[in-house]
Amino acid sequence: MSQEASHDEIEWFHDLAKLPVEELVQQATDHNRTRFKKFVTASLPDHVPPDNQSPAEFATTVLELRANQRGWNRALGEALIHADDQRSEGNLQAAISALRSFANSCPWKAFGDFAHAQADNLGKDRN
């Protein structure tokens, strides 16, 4: 079972992805490639981490992965709002199902874990 990326690793990834492409290409050192590979393994357990990429491919992968992460983060927010709306309307089971469905489809471990935890919390409200 893979471990979740730490706050420092996530922050490092976000800082890396903020760099202009030219600077990001320069960051394709062995150390950063290894760190990026560990981040991908921890954050996306079902994703094969990139290997043997050129500096330009490394930069592209970092930027694409960050864009993907942003998209899933937005999707998590939408799922939480939808679940809250369902709960407010008295559809607690639909709210729990919506969160579980998101969690099961999301490739990002942290977002999926958060959605599962929220669904568990809603399930406790039932009792």
Side-chain angles (χ1 to χ4, degrees), residues 12-101:
W12 170 82
F13 171 65
H14 290 174
D15 288 344
L16 188 67
K18 287 179 190 172
L19 295 173
V21 175
E22 306 77 34
E23 287 184 44
L24 194 48
V25 167
Q26 300 296 318
Q27 294 298 313
T29 63
D30 287 344
H31 173 76
N32 282 339
R33 289 170 191 263
T34 299
R35 192 169 181 186
F36 182 64
K37 193 172 183 174
K38 287 180 183 176
F39 171 78
V40 171
T41 300
S43 300
L44 297 155
D46 296 329
H47 187 78
V48 176
D51 213 3
N52 299 319
Q53 294 185 308
S54 70
E57 290 170 328
F58 172 79
T60 298
T61 301
V62 168
L63 295 174
E64 288 174 350
L65 201 59
R66 180 64 178 119
N68 181 274
Q69 184 188 42
R70 278 190 193 102
W72 281 102
N73 190 17
R74 281 188 208 97
L76 172 59
E78 291 168 8
L80 292 168
I81 290 167
H82 176 69
D84 188 55
D85 289 345
Q86 291 291 318
R87 183 194 54 76
S88 294
E89 294 169 8
N91 299 324
L92 188 58
Q93 191 54 49
I96 292 168
S97 293
L99 289 170
R100 296 241 185 266
S101 177

